[in-house]
Amino acid sequence: MCILTETCRHYAKLHPKMFVNIGHPLSVLLVLVGTAFFFSLQMFYVVPNIFGADSLMNKLGWLAGIFVTYNILGNMLACYLTSSSVESLPKGREFPEPEEEHLWRYCEVCEKLMPPRSWHCALCKCCMLKRDHHCAFTANCIGHNNHRYFFWFIFYLTLGTSLSMVTLLIDGLRKVWLLGPLHSNLKALLLATATQKIEIYGIYGHYLLVLLNALAFGFPALMLAFQIQIMDSNATYYKMFSRLYDLGFRKNCQLILGQRGLWTFVSPWLKSPLPHDGSRWQMKQAA
Ligand SMILES: [Zn+2]
Ligand SMILES: [Zn+2]
């Protein structure tokens, strides 16, 4: 498990109110400011620098940048707006049928029976259907109804920051190339840049930007690796390696992404109904 999420979990348990009132807005703001920063940096500086402002590649860069940013923010918003609370169950499904009563579990906080795979969240103050984990960056719980949006939110954050990293590195190499031959050592490079103040800032600014970009890439990339493992086995974050509900990759995908499966990468607004309401779960043995 990621040490950062475990630290957040520990802090959230100790100070739940502070985590919701301060941790949530700060985390959401970090994503919004970070996305706006890297989008502007790429579109107005790095991509035109590499390919030229009037080039076809620059125009394609704009299309790619807008598509990725739209999916980061769209999926983040859809994730926040879609609740996975047990309250979202359709009427008549709030209580178990007699034959499934033994599968439901009593929540002592909500004081009622909850469907299998539902867990209580102390921050959201209710039980969540197929609870994955509580996410500070979307300010709610990830569960049965919004897992799809979280998956693509993380996917596009990773894709966006990795593309940004690649173009930053290319632009850095281009700068070094302009300042002197690639085989020159660091001393020669510094001497060459000493006469060009703007380029000195360009080079050192680049080191800082690459470092920032690496940090912005690392966390979502790790989370994406976890989420791919979760999708592969139809598991949840805290039981990532359990294969109890593994029905095969195609079915597992549909149980998280809905009937359109991986096509949901196109847009968070693409309709993709989930196969069931999140209260009945088929186990691997019964598949
Ligand atoms: Zn509960
Ligand atoms: Zn929660």
Side-chain angles (χ1 to χ4, degrees):
M1 297 280 178
C2 171
I3 193 165
L4 191 60
T5 54
E6 285 307 302
T7 309
C8 283
R9 196 181 170 205
H10 177 72
Y11 176 73
K13 261 189 183 173
L14 282 179
H15 309 285
K17 263 194 178 174
M18 207 185 278
F19 191 84
V20 170
N21 295 336
I22 299 173
H24 278 180
L26 283 181
S27 306
V28 171
L29 196 67
L30 182 69
V31 175
L32 296 179
V33 170
T35 305
F37 173 74
F38 281 107
F39 178 82
S40 311
L41 177 76
Q42 287 295 320
M43 294 302 107
F44 298 112
Y45 176 71
V46 182
V47 179
N49 256 5
I50 298 173
F51 300 109
D54 296 324
S55 67
L56 176 66
M57 285 301 284
N58 190 40
K59 287 175 183 124
L60 290 176
W62 268 95
L63 280 179
I66 289 170
F67 179 71
V68 170
T69 307
Y70 159 74
N71 268 291
I72 291 173
L73 300 180
N75 279 295
M76 186 185 176
L77 181 66
C79 197
Y80 171 72
L81 294 176
T82 310
S83 169
S84 288
S85 156
V86 290
E87 307 297 328
S88 67
L89 281 172
K91 278 209 165 177
R93 283 302 298 156
E94 306 100 319
F95 305 101
E97 301 287 339
E99 68 272 14
E100 56 181 350
E101 220 164 69
H102 67 287
L103 294 171
W104 289 45
R105 200 178 39 81
Y106 186 76
C107 173
E108 287 180 358
V109 186
C110 301
E111 297 183 331
K112 61 179 194 172
L113 284 171
M114 295 300 169
R117 308 190 80 187
S118 299
W119 292 99
H120 191 84
C121 175
L123 299 176
C124 297
K125 294 181 177 150
C126 60
C127 275
M128 294 291 167
L129 294 166
K130 199 208 72 181
R131 183 172 184 268
D132 192 72
H133 70 286
H134 185 94
C135 176
F137 298 101
T138 58
N140 64 354
C141 254
I142 308 305
H144 179 62
N145 295 331
N146 59 358
H147 205 158
R148 157 196 170 176
Y149 306 117
F150 180 73
F151 179 83
W152 290 122
F153 167 58
I154 290 296
F155 174 85
Y156 280 105
L157 270 180
T158 310
L159 180 67
T161 48
S162 56
L163 286 176
S164 170
M165 189 71 138
V166 169
T167 52
L168 265 181
L169 290 175
I170 294 174
D171 196 39
L173 284 175
R174 188 193 60 86
K175 274 207 173 89
V176 171
W177 180 261
L178 285 178
L179 293 174
L182 274 176
H183 62 262
S184 62
N185 58 28
L186 185 64
K187 192 181 169 190
L189 178 66
L190 290 174
L191 282 172
T193 56
T195 53
Q196 301 173 48
K197 274 200 164 181
I198 294 168
E199 290 296 350
I200 289 175
Y201 294 130
I203 287 289
Y204 291 124
H206 244 86
Y207 293 151
L208 186 65
L209 287 173
V210 168
L211 183 68
L212 265 180
N213 203 147
L215 288 173
F217 166 78
F219 185 66
L222 186 63
M223 202 55 174
L224 180 64
F226 291 158
Q227 287 299 318
I228 289 171
Q229 164 65 30
I230 285 165
M231 191 179 299
D232 181 52
S233 51
N234 189 19
T236 49
Y237 185 75
Y238 295 109
K239 290 180 177 176
M240 203 183 294
F241 299 103
S242 163
R243 294 224 165 241
L244 192 61
Y245 298 95
D246 181 6
L247 305 181
F249 187 71
R250 197 166 161 270
K251 274 196 177 176
N252 294 347
C253 265
Q254 287 184 340
L255 284 164
I256 290 177
L257 303 176
Q259 286 170 2
R260 289 185 196 264
L262 292 168
W263 283 106
T264 47
F265 86 95
V266 174
S267 163
W269 313 121
L270 184 76
K271 284 213 178 330
S272 181
L274 288 161
H276 60 71
D277 60 27
S279 64
R280 286 192 179 109
W281 291 95
Q282 190 182 353
M283 289 192 203
K284 191 179 181 182
Q285 297 93 307

